[in-house]
């Protein structure tokens, strides 16, 4: 069937959703579910037959289907004893090209709905459903491989600040058997709505909540990671593994999450050993995460440890460390995001809009981190009362990372917009070597003999396209700040040499975008649409730039169309900026 016909078929299927007649029988034969009533493999013809039988159960084809056993015998794919439009949609999804969209696999039940108020303290070892009410996570709860946790719109899941066994309260989805070509890692199925989001939060009373009250949500997948052997143990957890080893499953799925807010999480267990708010460890590209907020975390908001998953519409706000953080061979894609600091919850050791690494123990580890980020607004805490001193950069790249970022707006960072650290990072940003009187420069600041650098270093390159940098650092005009001492870029290009090349290439603008920043949440955080559309009008089409249909055409700088709707504003308010 041609693509156009397939789209019309989908439209027709949806139009039948409310008109479908239920075809009911007492019980289908045990083990008979196949989703293939025609018996020739699952195709659109099976979906067409199911629609026929939903609307005309007495049709002769319905009785002869499933090898003469009757259509319900093999087409009740959600195992509820009824043939209806839901079954047809599930089978239709199985015919879709690319990623399978059935988070709960065909021919399995979503599981029982847990009673409202249930406290979950043991591992989840079968499919379960959390209804549109309140639940509690007590201690570290592991969702075992092969199981799906379905969470309905309006659910509020609260992590216990003080757990019964002393472990940090967290919900952890474990990886499947990565040696299997089609591993079934534990999955989340959390389809919230703008008016009825799904919320993970603290169990403390409103007004008494704080960053780090509980551990957060973490996922372990079988995609790529550049640790030795292709797998490793995540921060904050013992006896847990992520990464697909020598043969990672790049298109694996850890489920679906949409319109989900996670807040007051991210517990630090020891220095450099933390649970983040929303942690993605080696997740595959069939994972569907969109419209997520990570808020008031003790550590990072969203963090990628390797992986190939792709996301749109992320809000990282008021997290103590970095708002967006990648490392360990991440090649994910992200479009449309807000990253905003809050002075009342900030780590003075160094907190950034973006913090990006390759591998902290081996800067040359492969595959090298090489993500794509497009249309992101970064708002620092520079003008907020009580803002502490520390290292605060909008775009902070180190440890040999690559990556390409386009249409990024950075404003209000205390130190500067851009900093590069480590020679391995500079080698991905620029070609050339700096010599001072014939010797390699090592202090990161001395003037080179001549002008040796050009944009585009060793693959994968580190490159920025179309940045708007306004009111950052000293005097509000500090585009970059070089690192001196340990961590400088040596004979590679330093932060300002790289930034100057971007200026010369026409990639950096400095006009006032018309955002009012100040106490959190500032008007610019609540509504980050620039008040000066002309300042952000010079963006690039990321789909064309990266040759990737994942990216929506949005030729403005930042995460928000100055002439369009604020995608954070919804009827029910899925976003929250409350800090207690």
């Amino acid at each position: 069937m041609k693509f156009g016909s397939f789209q019309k078929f989908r439209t027709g299927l949806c139009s039948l959703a409310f008109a479908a007649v239920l075809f009911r029988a007492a019980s289908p034969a045990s083990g008979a579910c196949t989703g293939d009533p025609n018996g020739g493999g699952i195709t659109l013809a099976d979906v067409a037959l199911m629609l026929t039988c939903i609307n005309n159960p007495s049709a002769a084809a319905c009785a002869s289907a499933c090898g003469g056993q009757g259509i319900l015998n093999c087409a009740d794919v959600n195992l509820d004893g009824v043939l209806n439009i839901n079954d047809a949609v599930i089978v239709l999804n199985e015919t879709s090209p690319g990623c399978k969209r059935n988070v709960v696999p065909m021919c399995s039940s979503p599981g029982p709905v847990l009673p409202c108020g249930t406290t979950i303290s043991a591992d989840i070892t079968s499919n379960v459903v959390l209804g549109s009410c309140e639940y509690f996570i007590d201690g570290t709860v592991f969702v075992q491989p092969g199981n799906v946790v379905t969470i309905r719109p309006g659910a509020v899941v609260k992590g216990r600040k003080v757990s019964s066994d002393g472990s940090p309260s967290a919900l952890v989805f474990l990886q499947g058997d990565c040696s299997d070509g089609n591993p079934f890692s534990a999955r989340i199925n959390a389809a919230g709505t703008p008016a009825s989001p799904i919320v993970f939060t603290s169990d403390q009373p409103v007004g008494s909540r704080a960053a780090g009250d509980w551990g957060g949500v973490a996922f372990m997948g079988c995609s790529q990671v550049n640790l030795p052997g292709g797998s490793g143990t995540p921060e904050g957890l013992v006896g847990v593994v992520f990464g697909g080893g020598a043969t990672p499953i790049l298109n694996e799925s850890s489920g679906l999450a949409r319109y989900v807010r996670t807040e007051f999480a991210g517990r630090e267990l020891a220095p450099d050993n933390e649970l983040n708010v929303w942690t993605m460890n080696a997740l595959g590209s069939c994972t569907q995460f969109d419209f997520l907020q990570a808020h008031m975390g003790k550590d990072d908001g969203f963090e990628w440890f390797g992986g190939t998953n792709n996301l749109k519409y992320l809000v990282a706000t008021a997290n103590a460390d970095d708002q967006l953080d990648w490392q360990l061979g991440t090649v994910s894609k992200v479009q449309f995001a807000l990253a905003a600091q809050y002075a009342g919850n900030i780590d003075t050791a160094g907190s950034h809009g973006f913090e990006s690494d390759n591998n902290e123990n081996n800067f040359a580890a492969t595959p090298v981190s090489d993500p794509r980020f497009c249309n992101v607004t970064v708002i620092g805490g520079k003008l907020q009362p009580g803002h502490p001193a520390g290292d605060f950069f909008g775009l902070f790249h180190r440890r040999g990372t690559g990556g390409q970022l386009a249409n990024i707006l950075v404003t209000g960072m205390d130190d500067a917009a851009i900093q590069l650290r480590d020679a391995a990072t500079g080698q991905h940003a620029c070609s050339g070597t700096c010599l001072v009187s014939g010797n390699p420069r090592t202090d990161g600041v001395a003037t080179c003999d001549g002008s040796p650098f050009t944009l585009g270093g060793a693959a994968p390159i580190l490159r920025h396209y179309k940045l708007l940098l306004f009111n950052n650092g000293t005097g509000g005009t500090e585009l970059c700040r070089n690192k001196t001492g340990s961590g400088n870029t040596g004979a590679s290009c330093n932060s300002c040499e790289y930034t100057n090349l971007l200026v010369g290439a026409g990639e950096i603008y400095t006009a006032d975008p018309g955002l009012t920043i100040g106490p959190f949440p500032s008007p610019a955080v609540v509504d980050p649409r620039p008040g000066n559309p002309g300042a952000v009008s010079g963006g690039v089409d990321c789909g064309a730039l990266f040759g990737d249909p994942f990216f929506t055409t949005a030729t403005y700088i930042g995460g928000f169309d100055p002439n369009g709707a604020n995608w954070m504003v919804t009827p029910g308010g899925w976003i929250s900026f409350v800090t207690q």
Side-chain angles (χ1 to χ4, degrees):
M1 178 177 287
K2 293 182 180 179
F3 180 76
S5 299
F6 180 74
Q7 291 295 94
K8 291 178 182 178
F9 189 85
R10 277 186 179 274
T11 302
L13 177 61
C14 294
S15 69
L16 290 170
F18 297 103
V21 177
L22 299 183
F23 182 45
R24 184 183 298 272
S27 177
S30 176
C33 177
T34 64
D36 181 20
N38 275 338
I42 298 175
T43 66
L44 290 175
D46 294 296
V47 182
L49 177 57
M50 294 171 68
L51 292 174
T52 296
C53 296
I54 288 169
N55 289 281
N56 184 15
S58 62
C62 305
S64 61
C66 302
Q69 299 298 308
I71 188 133
L72 191 65
N73 187 265
C74 68
D76 173 25
V77 292
N78 62 2
L79 306 184
D80 63 356
V82 174
L83 180 67
N84 62 18
I85 197 67
N86 296 327
D87 298 295
V89 170
I90 291 170
V91 174
L92 177 63
N93 288 342
E94 290 295 316
T95 72
S96 300
C99 298
K100 302 299 185 187
R101 299 301 180 186
N102 291 319
V103 178
V104 179
M106 189 175 71
C107 298
S108 64
S109 166
V113 179
L114 299 184
C116 295
T118 295
T119 293
I120 304 170
S121 57
D123 287 2
I124 295 175
T125 58
S126 61
N127 290 356
V128 296
V129 177
L130 307 186
S132 303
C133 51
E134 186 176 82
Y135 296 89
F136 297 90
I137 300 294
D138 182 7
T140 307
V141 172
F142 296 102
V143 184
Q144 294 296 324
N147 300 297
V148 182
V149 177
T150 296
I151 308 175
R152 292 181 176 164
V156 178
V157 183
K158 297 183 175 181
R160 297 285 192 195
K161 183 174 182 177
V162 180
S163 68
S164 58
D165 65 0
S167 67
S169 296
L171 187 61
V172 181
F173 293 78
L174 299 179
Q175 69 173 191
D177 180 1
C178 298
S179 65
D180 184 347
N182 186 28
F184 189 170
S185 293
R187 296 177 185 170
I188 190 171
N189 183 26
T193 69
S196 190
I198 292 163
V199 179
F200 291 95
T201 190
S202 165
D203 72 334
Q204 298 301 291
V206 174
S208 299
R209 298 173 298 182
D213 275 353
W214 66 293
V217 184
F219 302 86
M220 312 295 142
C222 287
S223 189
Q224 71 175 37
V225 61
N226 64 18
L227 292 168
S231 62
T233 300
E235 290 183 355
L237 299 169
V238 178
V240 174
V241 176
F242 70 99
T247 56
I249 312 300
L250 303 184
N251 65 347
E252 188 198 17
S253 174
S254 288
L256 178 151
R258 183 177 299 127
Y259 291 109
V260 175
R261 183 172 79 245
T262 308
E263 58 190 16
F264 303 105
R267 181 169 295 182
E268 182 177 52
L269 306 178
D272 297 320
N273 185 20
E274 309 96 355
L275 293 170
N276 302 294
V277 178
W278 189 271
T279 307
M280 295 163 281
N281 294 284
L283 301 193
S285 61
C286 287
T287 304
Q288 303 170 69
F289 289 169
D290 302 289
F291 292 99
L292 306 181
Q293 183 182 16
H295 180 62
M296 278 296 295
K298 186 67 172 176
D299 193 49
D300 299 321
F302 295 103
E303 182 152 11
W304 293 259
F305 292 90
T308 49
N309 65 314
N310 308 315
L311 311 90
K312 286 185 177 178
Y313 302 105
L314 301 183
V315 179
T317 46
N319 298 294
D321 196 4
D322 311 305
Q323 308 306 316
L324 304 167
D325 190 324
W326 79 67
Q327 59 177 296
L328 298 182
T330 302
V331 295
S332 294
K333 293 174 283 192
V334 175
Q335 188 177 23
F336 306 119
L338 169 68
Q341 292 183 328
Y342 165 46
N345 181 41
I346 200 165
D347 184 349
T348 57
S351 302
H352 314 291
F354 283 88
E355 180 178 273
S356 59
D357 299 328
N358 187 38
N359 182 313
E360 65 181 288
N361 298 309
N362 178 6
F363 295 177
T366 58
V368 174
S369 294
D370 186 26
R372 302 288 183 270
F373 278 76
C374 194
N375 295 101
V376 181
T377 294
V378 178
I379 300 175
K382 174 182 174 181
L383 300 181
Q384 295 178 17
H387 188 281
D391 285 339
F392 306 108
F393 298 98
L395 298 160
F396 180 67
H397 306 299
R398 63 181 182 179
R399 295 171 176 168
T401 190
Q404 298 187 53
L405 302 87
N407 299 342
I408 312 297
L409 191 163
V410 180
T411 186
M413 297 304 302
D414 187 70
D415 286 292
I418 298 173
Q419 185 170 84
L420 308 184
R421 290 191 182 179
D422 310 310
T425 309
Q427 289 162 12
H428 289 295
C430 307
S431 295
T433 300
C434 178
L435 299 179
V436 180
S437 299
N439 296 312
R441 184 190 63 197
T442 59
D443 63 2
V445 295
T447 301
C448 302
D449 298 340
S451 302
F453 296 116
T454 57
L455 288 170
I461 64 171
L462 176 64
R463 184 70 154 84
H464 298 77
Y465 307 86
K466 305 307 177 188
L467 306 181
L468 176 55
L469 311 179
F470 177 76
N471 194 16
N472 297 290
T474 303
T477 58
E478 198 168 1
L479 304 183
C480 54
R481 181 176 295 183
N482 293 326
K483 179 68 172 72
T484 58
S486 176
N488 73 69
T489 54
S492 301
C493 66
N494 61 34
S495 306
C496 291
E497 288 163 342
Y498 171 67
T499 301
N500 289 339
L501 289 173
L502 292 178
V503 171
E507 302 289 9
I508 291 182
Y509 305 101
T510 58
D512 184 351
L515 295 175
T516 303
I517 59 176
F520 185 90
S522 69
V525 172
V526 175
D527 187 352
R529 292 175 297 176
N532 180 8
V536 299
S537 63
V540 63
D541 179 350
C542 287
L545 175 67
F546 299 134
D548 193 327
F550 167 79
F551 292 99
T552 302
T553 298
T555 55
Y556 48 84
I557 299 174
F560 299 83
D561 185 348
N563 300 308
N566 176 3
W567 50 261
M568 293 194 305
V569 176
T570 55
W574 67 280
I575 295 295
S576 173
F577 298 120
V578 175
T579 57
Q580 292 181 322

